[in-house]
Amino acid sequence: MNDPVCGKDGEPVLPFELHLPARGEGARLQALHQQLRAAVLDRRLLPGATLPATRRLAAAYGLARNTVVAAYDLLVAEGYVLPRPQARAVVAELAPGRGRLRPPPRGSEPPRADAACQPIWQLPLLQRPAARELPPRSFRLGVPEHLHFPAEIWRRLSARELRRWARAPFDYPPTEGLPALRDAIARHVAFTRAVACSADDVIVTRGAQQAFDLLARLLVTPGRTRVALEEPGYPPVRAAFAAAGAVLVPIPVDDEGLCVDRLPPDVRVISVTPSHQSPTGVRLSQQRRTALLDFAQRQGAVVIEDDYDGEFRFGARPLDALQTQDRDDRVCYVGTFSKSLFPALRQGFVVAPPWLQRGLLTVKHATDAHADALAQAVLAAFIAEGHLARHVRRMLPVYAARRQALLQSLQTELADWLEPIPSEAGLHLAAAIRRPRAASRIVQAARVCAPGAQSTNDYAMAPLARPALAFGYGVMDVDTMAGALRRLRRQLEGMVTT
Amino acid sequence: MNDPVCGKDGEPVLPFELHLPARGEGARLQALHQQLRAAVLDRRLLPGATLPATRRLAAAYGLARNTVVAAYDLLVAEGYVLPRPQARAVVAELAPGRGRLRPPPRGSEPPRADAACQPIWQLPLLQRPAARELPPRSFRLGVPEHLHFPAEIWRRLSARELRRWARAPFDYPPTEGLPALRDAIARHVAFTRAVACSADDVIVTRGAQQAFDLLARLLVTPGRTRVALEEPGYPPVRAAFAAAGAVLVPIPVDDEGLCVDRLPPDVRVISVTPSHQSPTGVRLSQQRRTALLDFAQRQGAVVIEDDYDGEFRFGARPLDALQTQDRDDRVCYVGTFSKSLFPALRQGFVVAPPWLQRGLLTVKHATDAHADALAQAVLAAFIAEGHLARHVRRMLPVYAARRQALLQSLQTELADWLEPIPSEAGLHLAAAIRRPRAASRIVQAARVCAPGAQSTNDYAMAPLARPALAFGYGVMDVDTMAGALRRLRRQLEGMVTT
């Protein structure tokens, strides 16, 4: 490294060397400004240090004096340097804001979020739950098993789609999703869930959550639209509707699912999980399905069918999607690949009746505008070549064994405290707490011994008369499960019963 | 294929073979129901055909009669079959709805979107523009060149990140984005745009559009919050704020950018493109920047800096991001990789001051909940290993040559009609129309001869007194450009001037 450039007095002009382009005053100004600022930021120039006189610096580096003046002006405007009339400018004290040195804030009122933001975002039910620390094997709900996933196939399809993509000019992919993916999804849900649709009816979304958000924003007039939600029910759906300004109407769930006869006539949207109620696991009975569709038709309401894990079915009863039976274009069918494939994929979809499609695309366009074509192309190929169906088939016996072991333990070891709620699908199972007065202690014991298991109260807007415990088996193996439930039994046996 | 199973009378029970599991009445019911429905849907059973008597079908396949009754009941409930008291059920006429045969609709009022949906989505400015058919080489705005993209490196990083990902248990990635990507973005914008931030200040979004949407939803109280937007300005930003219910306040743009002195004191949000105004291309002057930040501080407003293509800089003037000069935590800096990398990536980000971060995450969580970890991991590696910076460096001379050729043609061949608007960055250049009275004909000529070029009126809420034509050079090569602009000149010469 060279010695710093010295002035006519033989003293260094700056404690470091500047590297300026040979020509172009504009480029030289830019370099000078940036290198001086960098020196302030990395503290080669300390707060209070005086900058060299403009004339001296200009002479030392062969710059026009105006260039140095302009660079100093910029540093002053940015707050890195304090101007001193009739004296040499000095380096300002920097504030360690945002994790990086920056110009000092002015001594003014700091902004306040509650004054600047829409108050709805302060609603408690919109706050993100605190992250829970859980062991890798736990009763956590809604996360699938990563073992057995055909990652090699995914990688191969990714490489192929990337090669294909690299040959085509860049463009903004369509709002509604890639045609190949919409087609693959339509065929898949028609085959596995008897959903009546074609590719044109499918809008690809960023997980199921974006589908709920789009529907909420489209269907809800803030402060006016009443939306019926299962109680207990899936909190993120509640959040999407609350954020859109809906009036939330909780409707109880019993062992036939949503109590359709409790729907007030003025609800305009009904959100329901017919295959596998979230979180109780019950199936909406055929009678209730018919009643719900009749209600929607009579009252002009829209039904949102959230079929989040209905692909994993263990029972023999042949009920397909609710949408299959919809003869009035009232049902929006929402699906996700977070459970059948993996959550980091962040792909879901909504099959909407034609009269709602244009509106949903208008909302989606204002929201995130375009598709992420690479991920969608890989997913489309994965589905179209049968890998999704094969993966679901491969996982079914894995989950069935875990489910069976769970059921077994609940019905034997834990039968004094818990009563499994009949359920035929999905990646979790709930069990009603037999002793409501001891419920909070039983939940507490489960929190310790069965990490990841959740009280259905966590899914409810108001405390439930008869809470249940929901156990996920997506990331729980049979052995760990047995140990955990044995420990839970011992813990419960030690409890003084009331 | 076997012959159809026959009844005791020797006649086929059905015109096709059923394949039923040997055991399990539940499974047999499911198979029977699904195969009969499939036969109705693919017209092996035509409308009006009678179904076999339940007793006969049960006997032919060794089923319990109740199983057949249950299957028929399901088909009736779904509308595929019409029940006839005291007679054999017949297949219903199917409606060709949704591109696939489904049960016939009831003869009721079809749903109407205008009755069920929030009226705001009917706003004309929220309607998606019709897709334009453009040749691959055009003056289209906002799309980068795909040649020279290091697709091989992207593929290699994808494969590596996929291998890494396949080893870890599945999980829902964090709302704010992957830590590695937030860190890579923070370093990148600190280095290239002097944005003052650390990884904690970065929220990864689905393109810049989601950042606008999150900010709009967080900051706008519907019907109340007044939002200042550049006029002309980028329509999707307008759409995001209109959709959130903002009162839009258009503020004119001149050759120093946004006319800050025209801001009414009651605007609470100001959206601005300081590096390269969209669409006129002007740079917000230093004086206006200072005035804008002072205004925001004085009035308690939030400034949204949209730096969509500011990485491509051709001038020598050393103005960095507006956020760099923000000493009051008033600026949200929004960036995107749609121009510096490619649009199908659908990754953008917002660098927000600390007091807004929690609110933005609350909105993002209600909106789409989680990150798409695979794409983010690849992008993080691509940036961290220096490939983004290298790619931008590689593209700069490519775009500079196109920009120079465009400028040259505008200043010579088209000088009688168009006057380039000074601009130093980005992937497009605008030229004011010299003859406002002939503007619509000049725009029309450009539409024919210079496909992709757009009138700045397309970006304005009301017709502009002095419209300009904006020419993108992201996907335009020098030769095609020369031919197109020659044709445009000939076309304009042939026009009768007014």
PDB file of all heavy atoms in Angstrom, chain A residues 277-301:
ATOM      1  N   GLN A 277     -61.897 -31.664  10.296  1.00  0.00           N
ATOM      2  CA  GLN A 277     -62.061 -30.368  10.931  1.00  0.00           C
ATOM      3  C   GLN A 277     -60.784 -29.958  11.656  1.00  0.00           C
ATOM      4  O   GLN A 277     -60.178 -30.769  12.372  1.00  0.00           O
ATOM      5  CB  GLN A 277     -63.262 -30.392  11.906  1.00  0.00           C
ATOM      6  CG  GLN A 277     -63.877 -29.021  12.175  1.00  0.00           C
ATOM      7  CD  GLN A 277     -63.215 -28.285  13.323  1.00  0.00           C
ATOM      8  OE1 GLN A 277     -62.724 -28.899  14.263  1.00  0.00           O
ATOM      9  NE2 GLN A 277     -63.187 -26.948  13.258  1.00  0.00           N
ATOM     10  N   SER A 278     -60.410 -28.713  11.475  1.00  0.00           N
ATOM     11  CA  SER A 278     -59.217 -28.201  12.135  1.00  0.00           C
ATOM     12  C   SER A 278     -59.669 -27.415  13.351  1.00  0.00           C
ATOM     13  O   SER A 278     -60.331 -26.405  13.203  1.00  0.00           O
ATOM     14  CB  SER A 278     -58.451 -27.303  11.167  1.00  0.00           C
ATOM     15  OG  SER A 278     -57.378 -26.691  11.825  1.00  0.00           O
ATOM     16  N   PRO A 279     -59.371 -27.890  14.577  1.00  0.00           N
ATOM     17  CA  PRO A 279     -58.460 -28.957  14.969  1.00  0.00           C
ATOM     18  C   PRO A 279     -59.112 -30.264  15.449  1.00  0.00           C
ATOM     19  O   PRO A 279     -58.379 -31.190  15.775  1.00  0.00           O
ATOM     20  CB  PRO A 279     -57.764 -28.319  16.167  1.00  0.00           C
ATOM     21  CG  PRO A 279     -58.871 -27.562  16.852  1.00  0.00           C
ATOM     22  CD  PRO A 279     -59.753 -27.058  15.732  1.00  0.00           C
ATOM     23  N   THR A 280     -60.442 -30.379  15.506  1.00  0.00           N
ATOM     24  CA  THR A 280     -60.997 -31.560  16.189  1.00  0.00           C
ATOM     25  C   THR A 280     -60.893 -32.829  15.360  1.00  0.00           C
ATOM     26  O   THR A 280     -61.011 -33.940  15.892  1.00  0.00           O
ATOM     27  CB  THR A 280     -62.485 -31.357  16.550  1.00  0.00           C
ATOM     28  OG1 THR A 280     -63.241 -31.277  15.332  1.00  0.00           O
ATOM     29  CG2 THR A 280     -62.691 -30.097  17.365  1.00  0.00           C
ATOM     30  N   GLY A 281     -60.728 -32.688  14.035  1.00  0.00           N
ATOM     31  CA  GLY A 281     -60.546 -33.861  13.192  1.00  0.00           C
ATOM     32  C   GLY A 281     -61.834 -34.494  12.705  1.00  0.00           C
ATOM     33  O   GLY A 281     -61.786 -35.438  11.914  1.00  0.00           O
ATOM     34  N   VAL A 282     -62.998 -34.009  13.149  1.00  0.00           N
ATOM     35  CA  VAL A 282     -64.238 -34.666  12.723  1.00  0.00           C
ATOM     36  C   VAL A 282     -64.519 -34.372  11.253  1.00  0.00           C
ATOM     37  O   VAL A 282     -64.018 -33.412  10.683  1.00  0.00           O
ATOM     38  CB  VAL A 282     -65.457 -34.255  13.575  1.00  0.00           C
ATOM     39  CG1 VAL A 282     -65.227 -34.595  15.038  1.00  0.00           C
ATOM     40  CG2 VAL A 282     -65.766 -32.777  13.396  1.00  0.00           C
ATOM     41  N   ARG A 283     -65.350 -35.231  10.671  1.00  0.00           N
ATOM     42  CA  ARG A 283     -65.750 -35.101   9.278  1.00  0.00           C
ATOM     43  C   ARG A 283     -67.134 -34.480   9.245  1.00  0.00           C
ATOM     44  O   ARG A 283     -67.996 -34.859  10.038  1.00  0.00           O
ATOM     45  CB  ARG A 283     -65.798 -36.509   8.667  1.00  0.00           C
ATOM     46  CG  ARG A 283     -66.017 -36.600   7.200  1.00  0.00           C
ATOM     47  CD  ARG A 283     -65.874 -38.060   6.762  1.00  0.00           C
ATOM     48  NE  ARG A 283     -66.761 -38.929   7.536  1.00  0.00           N
ATOM     49  CZ  ARG A 283     -68.051 -39.091   7.256  1.00  0.00           C
ATOM     50  NH1 ARG A 283     -68.604 -38.491   6.224  1.00  0.00           N
ATOM     51  NH2 ARG A 283     -68.796 -39.887   8.005  1.00  0.00           N
ATOM     52  N   LEU A 284     -67.353 -33.528   8.377  1.00  0.00           N
ATOM     53  CA  LEU A 284     -68.682 -32.937   8.248  1.00  0.00           C
ATOM     54  C   LEU A 284     -69.609 -34.007   7.677  1.00  0.00           C
ATOM     55  O   LEU A 284     -69.332 -34.564   6.607  1.00  0.00           O
ATOM     56  CB  LEU A 284     -68.613 -31.715   7.323  1.00  0.00           C
ATOM     57  CG  LEU A 284     -69.849 -30.834   7.255  1.00  0.00           C
ATOM     58  CD1 LEU A 284     -70.138 -30.161   8.594  1.00  0.00           C
ATOM     59  CD2 LEU A 284     -69.702 -29.762   6.171  1.00  0.00           C
ATOM     60  N   SER A 285     -70.707 -34.287   8.392  1.00  0.00           N
ATOM     61  CA  SER A 285     -71.581 -35.383   7.965  1.00  0.00           C
ATOM     62  C   SER A 285     -72.300 -35.025   6.664  1.00  0.00           C
ATOM     63  O   SER A 285     -72.429 -33.860   6.299  1.00  0.00           O
ATOM     64  CB  SER A 285     -72.612 -35.677   9.054  1.00  0.00           C
ATOM     65  OG  SER A 285     -73.517 -34.583   9.160  1.00  0.00           O
ATOM     66  N   GLN A 286     -72.775 -36.070   5.974  1.00  0.00           N
ATOM     67  CA  GLN A 286     -73.468 -35.835   4.705  1.00  0.00           C
ATOM     68  C   GLN A 286     -74.685 -34.956   4.904  1.00  0.00           C
ATOM     69  O   GLN A 286     -74.961 -34.055   4.094  1.00  0.00           O
ATOM     70  CB  GLN A 286     -73.860 -37.179   4.079  1.00  0.00           C
ATOM     71  CG  GLN A 286     -74.597 -37.061   2.760  1.00  0.00           C
ATOM     72  CD  GLN A 286     -73.855 -36.210   1.746  1.00  0.00           C
ATOM     73  OE1 GLN A 286     -72.666 -36.401   1.499  1.00  0.00           O
ATOM     74  NE2 GLN A 286     -74.530 -35.214   1.172  1.00  0.00           N
ATOM     75  N   GLN A 287     -75.385 -35.164   6.018  1.00  0.00           N
ATOM     76  CA  GLN A 287     -76.579 -34.363   6.277  1.00  0.00           C
ATOM     77  C   GLN A 287     -76.211 -32.883   6.421  1.00  0.00           C
ATOM     78  O   GLN A 287     -76.864 -32.007   5.860  1.00  0.00           O
ATOM     79  CB  GLN A 287     -77.203 -34.877   7.578  1.00  0.00           C
ATOM     80  CG  GLN A 287     -78.673 -34.633   7.695  1.00  0.00           C
ATOM     81  CD  GLN A 287     -79.177 -35.127   9.061  1.00  0.00           C
ATOM     82  OE1 GLN A 287     -78.473 -35.875   9.755  1.00  0.00           O
ATOM     83  NE2 GLN A 287     -80.358 -34.698   9.444  1.00  0.00           N
ATOM     84  N   ARG A 288     -75.147 -32.641   7.146  1.00  0.00           N
ATOM     85  CA  ARG A 288     -74.708 -31.260   7.347  1.00  0.00           C
ATOM     86  C   ARG A 288     -74.230 -30.644   6.028  1.00  0.00           C
ATOM     87  O   ARG A 288     -74.395 -29.470   5.778  1.00  0.00           O
ATOM     88  CB  ARG A 288     -73.560 -31.223   8.357  1.00  0.00           C
ATOM     89  CG  ARG A 288     -73.962 -31.652   9.767  1.00  0.00           C
ATOM     90  CD  ARG A 288     -74.386 -30.477  10.620  1.00  0.00           C
ATOM     91  NE  ARG A 288     -74.862 -30.913  11.918  1.00  0.00           N
ATOM     92  CZ  ARG A 288     -74.097 -30.991  13.008  1.00  0.00           C
ATOM     93  NH1 ARG A 288     -72.822 -30.637  12.960  1.00  0.00           N
ATOM     94  NH2 ARG A 288     -74.611 -31.391  14.161  1.00  0.00           N
ATOM     95  N   ARG A 289     -73.569 -31.471   5.215  1.00  0.00           N
ATOM     96  CA  ARG A 289     -73.098 -30.954   3.921  1.00  0.00           C
ATOM     97  C   ARG A 289     -74.272 -30.455   3.093  1.00  0.00           C
ATOM     98  O   ARG A 289     -74.251 -29.341   2.552  1.00  0.00           O
ATOM     99  CB  ARG A 289     -72.340 -32.044   3.149  1.00  0.00           C
ATOM    100  CG  ARG A 289     -70.989 -32.353   3.763  1.00  0.00           C
ATOM    101  CD  ARG A 289     -70.326 -33.573   3.154  1.00  0.00           C
ATOM    102  NE  ARG A 289     -69.141 -33.863   3.940  1.00  0.00           N
ATOM    103  CZ  ARG A 289     -67.888 -33.920   3.458  1.00  0.00           C
ATOM    104  NH1 ARG A 289     -67.680 -33.762   2.171  1.00  0.00           N
ATOM    105  NH2 ARG A 289     -66.872 -34.145   4.244  1.00  0.00           N
ATOM    106  N   THR A 290     -75.284 -31.303   3.019  1.00  0.00           N
ATOM    107  CA  THR A 290     -76.469 -30.919   2.251  1.00  0.00           C
ATOM    108  C   THR A 290     -77.088 -29.658   2.850  1.00  0.00           C
ATOM    109  O   THR A 290     -77.447 -28.719   2.119  1.00  0.00           O
ATOM    110  CB  THR A 290     -77.482 -32.080   2.260  1.00  0.00           C
ATOM    111  OG1 THR A 290     -76.815 -33.258   1.805  1.00  0.00           O
ATOM    112  CG2 THR A 290     -78.669 -31.792   1.376  1.00  0.00           C
ATOM    113  N   ALA A 291     -77.177 -29.628   4.172  1.00  0.00           N
ATOM    114  CA  ALA A 291     -77.787 -28.456   4.831  1.00  0.00           C
ATOM    115  C   ALA A 291     -76.955 -27.199   4.578  1.00  0.00           C
ATOM    116  O   ALA A 291     -77.491 -26.111   4.352  1.00  0.00           O
ATOM    117  CB  ALA A 291     -77.920 -28.722   6.333  1.00  0.00           C
ATOM    118  N   LEU A 292     -75.632 -27.351   4.593  1.00  0.00           N
ATOM    119  CA  LEU A 292     -74.763 -26.188   4.384  1.00  0.00           C
ATOM    120  C   LEU A 292     -74.913 -25.648   2.968  1.00  0.00           C
ATOM    121  O   LEU A 292     -75.028 -24.427   2.757  1.00  0.00           O
ATOM    122  CB  LEU A 292     -73.309 -26.593   4.662  1.00  0.00           C
ATOM    123  CG  LEU A 292     -72.250 -25.520   4.434  1.00  0.00           C
ATOM    124  CD1 LEU A 292     -72.535 -24.261   5.255  1.00  0.00           C
ATOM    125  CD2 LEU A 292     -70.851 -26.060   4.774  1.00  0.00           C
ATOM    126  N   LEU A 293     -74.923 -26.553   1.988  1.00  0.00           N
ATOM    127  CA  LEU A 293     -75.073 -26.098   0.601  1.00  0.00           C
ATOM    128  C   LEU A 293     -76.442 -25.462   0.400  1.00  0.00           C
ATOM    129  O   LEU A 293     -76.571 -24.466  -0.313  1.00  0.00           O
ATOM    130  CB  LEU A 293     -74.841 -27.270  -0.361  1.00  0.00           C
ATOM    131  CG  LEU A 293     -73.409 -27.826  -0.351  1.00  0.00           C
ATOM    132  CD1 LEU A 293     -73.314 -29.072  -1.231  1.00  0.00           C
ATOM    133  CD2 LEU A 293     -72.409 -26.772  -0.810  1.00  0.00           C
ATOM    134  N   ASP A 294     -77.472 -26.034   1.035  1.00  0.00           N
ATOM    135  CA  ASP A 294     -78.804 -25.434   0.937  1.00  0.00           C
ATOM    136  C   ASP A 294     -78.818 -24.040   1.550  1.00  0.00           C
ATOM    137  O   ASP A 294     -79.398 -23.110   0.999  1.00  0.00           O
ATOM    138  CB  ASP A 294     -79.840 -26.320   1.646  1.00  0.00           C
ATOM    139  CG  ASP A 294     -80.149 -27.574   0.853  1.00  0.00           C
ATOM    140  OD1 ASP A 294     -79.745 -27.640  -0.325  1.00  0.00           O
ATOM    141  OD2 ASP A 294     -80.774 -28.498   1.421  1.00  0.00           O
ATOM    142  N   PHE A 295     -78.172 -23.921   2.703  1.00  0.00           N
ATOM    143  CA  PHE A 295     -78.099 -22.612   3.369  1.00  0.00           C
ATOM    144  C   PHE A 295     -77.426 -21.586   2.445  1.00  0.00           C
ATOM    145  O   PHE A 295     -77.920 -20.475   2.247  1.00  0.00           O
ATOM    146  CB  PHE A 295     -77.313 -22.738   4.676  1.00  0.00           C
ATOM    147  CG  PHE A 295     -77.100 -21.426   5.384  1.00  0.00           C
ATOM    148  CD1 PHE A 295     -77.966 -21.000   6.380  1.00  0.00           C
ATOM    149  CD2 PHE A 295     -76.038 -20.590   5.040  1.00  0.00           C
ATOM    150  CE1 PHE A 295     -77.777 -19.778   7.020  1.00  0.00           C
ATOM    151  CE2 PHE A 295     -75.845 -19.377   5.665  1.00  0.00           C
ATOM    152  CZ  PHE A 295     -76.705 -18.964   6.652  1.00  0.00           C
ATOM    153  N   ALA A 296     -76.289 -21.984   1.869  1.00  0.00           N
ATOM    154  CA  ALA A 296     -75.537 -21.055   1.023  1.00  0.00           C
ATOM    155  C   ALA A 296     -76.369 -20.619  -0.171  1.00  0.00           C
ATOM    156  O   ALA A 296     -76.384 -19.439  -0.549  1.00  0.00           O
ATOM    157  CB  ALA A 296     -74.235 -21.711   0.560  1.00  0.00           C
ATOM    158  N   GLN A 297     -77.088 -21.571  -0.751  1.00  0.00           N
ATOM    159  CA  GLN A 297     -77.916 -21.267  -1.897  1.00  0.00           C
ATOM    160  C   GLN A 297     -79.060 -20.324  -1.499  1.00  0.00           C
ATOM    161  O   GLN A 297     -79.314 -19.307  -2.141  1.00  0.00           O
ATOM    162  CB  GLN A 297     -78.462 -22.593  -2.458  1.00  0.00           C
ATOM    163  CG  GLN A 297     -79.662 -22.479  -3.359  1.00  0.00           C
ATOM    164  CD  GLN A 297     -79.354 -21.635  -4.579  1.00  0.00           C
ATOM    165  OE1 GLN A 297     -78.202 -21.354  -4.878  1.00  0.00           O
ATOM    166  NE2 GLN A 297     -80.391 -21.176  -5.256  1.00  0.00           N
ATOM    167  N   ARG A 298     -79.708 -20.650  -0.373  1.00  0.00           N
ATOM    168  CA  ARG A 298     -80.862 -19.880   0.077  1.00  0.00           C
ATOM    169  C   ARG A 298     -80.446 -18.458   0.431  1.00  0.00           C
ATOM    170  O   ARG A 298     -81.114 -17.485   0.094  1.00  0.00           O
ATOM    171  CB  ARG A 298     -81.446 -20.585   1.306  1.00  0.00           C
ATOM    172  CG  ARG A 298     -82.902 -20.339   1.568  1.00  0.00           C
ATOM    173  CD  ARG A 298     -83.449 -21.354   2.572  1.00  0.00           C
ATOM    174  NE  ARG A 298     -82.688 -21.402   3.813  1.00  0.00           N
ATOM    175  CZ  ARG A 298     -82.045 -22.496   4.259  1.00  0.00           C
ATOM    176  NH1 ARG A 298     -82.080 -23.628   3.571  1.00  0.00           N
ATOM    177  NH2 ARG A 298     -81.380 -22.451   5.388  1.00  0.00           N
ATOM    178  N   GLN A 299     -79.336 -18.337   1.147  1.00  0.00           N
ATOM    179  CA  GLN A 299     -78.944 -17.031   1.693  1.00  0.00           C
ATOM    180  C   GLN A 299     -77.972 -16.285   0.786  1.00  0.00           C
ATOM    181  O   GLN A 299     -77.558 -15.178   1.113  1.00  0.00           O
ATOM    182  CB  GLN A 299     -78.311 -17.213   3.081  1.00  0.00           C
ATOM    183  CG  GLN A 299     -79.176 -17.966   4.069  1.00  0.00           C
ATOM    184  CD  GLN A 299     -80.469 -17.210   4.383  1.00  0.00           C
ATOM    185  OE1 GLN A 299     -80.563 -16.004   4.203  1.00  0.00           O
ATOM    186  NE2 GLN A 299     -81.481 -17.943   4.814  1.00  0.00           N
ATOM    187  N   GLY A 300     -77.578 -16.887  -0.301  1.00  0.00           N
ATOM    188  CA  GLY A 300     -76.604 -16.223  -1.167  1.00  0.00           C
ATOM    189  C   GLY A 300     -75.235 -16.086  -0.520  1.00  0.00           C
ATOM    190  O   GLY A 300     -74.565 -15.067  -0.690  1.00  0.00           O
ATOM    191  N   ALA A 301     -74.832 -17.096   0.223  1.00  0.00           N
ATOM    192  CA  ALA A 301     -73.532 -17.042   0.886  1.00  0.00           C
ATOM    193  C   ALA A 301     -72.494 -17.843   0.092  1.00  0.00           C
ATOM    194  O   ALA A 301     -72.837 -18.693  -0.727  1.00  0.00           O
ATOM    195  CB  ALA A 301     -73.638 -17.603   2.301  1.00  0.00           C
TER     196      ALA A 301
END
